[in-house]
């Protein structure tokens, strides 16, 4: 049912051939595999995401804002806390195993390692909110940069948009560590040259902004466009 995997004109098969050169069919993720980090809302371990796929054996991370002292902490999400956001949707598209009769087929063919960081926030009443604060996003980015010292993180997926440009400096830090940012263009049907949505509209050259294609291989009416939007994907 994933029509894009059968669509030759979008270059999927050619992309898979390139992928297979680096990851032979029998290969599995190991310590030296490239790592794709993802910042989103709400992750929960799922059987279509094998534990060996995670950088730290099935562990995702969560940013906590301690209202008592204003500090943001990143810690293992050992209880698989999950407030029902779309982090697992994004993670599945990126990293779900293929040909296992479970869920969907990920664009990484189940052969990349992932580092998932949940950046949802807690309000002044300590209630989980299905949204992200700029401060928690920056904390998540700095956490990923710290992990870069120990492992081969090559890209960060950011499937969110914000009208704030405060993320640009943090994305510059990712660039300094040779980490690519893959950013959603946004779902408002706007030209980002005129109505800026970040991080897709940010300046750093390490950003790949992705618009959305429909089954007719044209931009969907809701997809942002223009500016530095550099590619479109189903």
């Amino acid at each position: 049912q994933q029509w894009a995997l059968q669509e030759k004109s979008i270059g999927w098969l050619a992309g898979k051939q390139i992928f297979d050169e680096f990851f032979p069919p029998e290969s599995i993720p190991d310590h030296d595999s490239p790592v794709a980090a993802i910042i989103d809302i709400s992750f929960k371990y799922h059987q279509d995401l094998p534990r060996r796929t995670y950088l730290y054996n099935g562990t995702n991370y969560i940013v906590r804002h301690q209202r008592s002292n204003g500090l943001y902490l990143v810690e293992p999400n050992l209880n698989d806390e999950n407030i029902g956001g779309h982090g697992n949707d994004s993670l599945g598209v990126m990293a779900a195993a293929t040909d296992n009769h479970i869920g969907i087929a990920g664009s990484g063919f189940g052969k990349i390692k992932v580092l998932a960081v949940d950046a949802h926030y807690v309000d002044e009443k300590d209630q989980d909110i299905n949204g992200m604060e700029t401060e928690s996003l920056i904390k998540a980015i700095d956490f990923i940069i710290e992990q870069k010292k120990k492992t081969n993180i090559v890209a960060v997926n950011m499937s969110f948009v914000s009208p704030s440009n405060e993320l640009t400096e943090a994305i510059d830090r990712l660039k300094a560590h040779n980490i690519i940012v893959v950013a959603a263009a946004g779902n408002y049907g706007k030209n980002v040259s005129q109505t800026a949505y970040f991080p897709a509209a940010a300046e750093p050259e390490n950003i790949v902004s992705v618009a959305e294609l429909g089954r007719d291989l044209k931009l969907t009416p809701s997809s942002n466009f223009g500016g530095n939007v550099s590619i479109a994907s189903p």
Side-chain angles (χ1 to χ4, degrees), residues 144-153 177-179:
I144 288 168
I145 290 173
E146 186 67 22
Q147 302 310 303
K148 172 75 172 182
K149 299 176 182 177
K150 300 184 285 186
T151 190
N152 184 25
I153 297 175
H177 288 82
N178 298 314
I179 298 175

Side-chain angles (χ1 to χ4, degrees), residues 174-192:
L174 289 170
K175 179 183 177 183
H177 288 82
N178 298 314
I179 298 175
I180 295 169
V181 172
V182 182
N187 301 322
Y188 299 100
K190 302 288 187 180
N191 184 336
V192 298

Side-chain angles (χ1 to χ4, degrees), residues 40-87:
D40 213 306
I41 299 174
S42 193
F43 299 99
K44 187 176 181 65
Y45 174 74
H46 188 279
Q47 58 184 338
D48 201 21
L49 295 162
R51 290 193 183 277
R52 60 176 169 76
T53 302
Y54 284 86
L55 180 57
Y56 299 119
N57 193 32
T59 301
N60 56 69
Y61 285 76
I62 189 166
V63 179
R64 297 195 189 281
H65 184 190
Q66 294 186 319
R67 295 286 175 179
S68 59
N69 56 21
L71 295 179
Y72 286 82
L73 304 176
V74 182
E75 57 189 42
N77 187 6
L78 298 178
N79 296 321
D80 259 355
E81 295 176 41
N82 179 19
I83 62 171
H86 95 347

Side-chain angles (χ1 to χ4, degrees), residues 72-143:
Y72 286 82
L73 304 176
V74 182
E75 57 189 42
N77 187 6
L78 298 178
N79 296 321
D80 259 355
E81 295 176 41
N82 179 19
I83 62 171
H86 95 347
N88 261 27
D89 296 344
S90 300
L91 189 55
V93 169
M94 187 165 73
T98 58
D99 297 325
N100 63 351
H101 304 286
I102 301 172
I104 65 173
S107 58
F109 305 99
K111 295 178 180 179
I112 60 171
K113 277 192 176 290
V114 295
L115 172 60
V117 185
D118 181 343
H120 83 267
Y121 69 94
V122 179
D123 68 11
E124 61 276 2
K125 296 181 181 179
D126 290 330
Q127 298 294 311
D128 287 324
I129 301 299
N130 194 354
M132 292 183 272
E133 292 179 321
T134 300
E135 291 85 351
S136 65
L137 292 171
I138 292 173
K139 187 69 177 180
I141 289 172
D142 287 338
F143 173 74

Side-chain angles (χ1 to χ4, degrees), residues 190-210:
K190 302 288 187 180
N191 184 336
V192 298
S193 296
Q194 301 170 358
T195 307
Y197 287 98
F198 298 93
E203 294 295 330
E205 297 175 355
N206 60 322
I207 296 179
V208 178
S209 300
V210 186

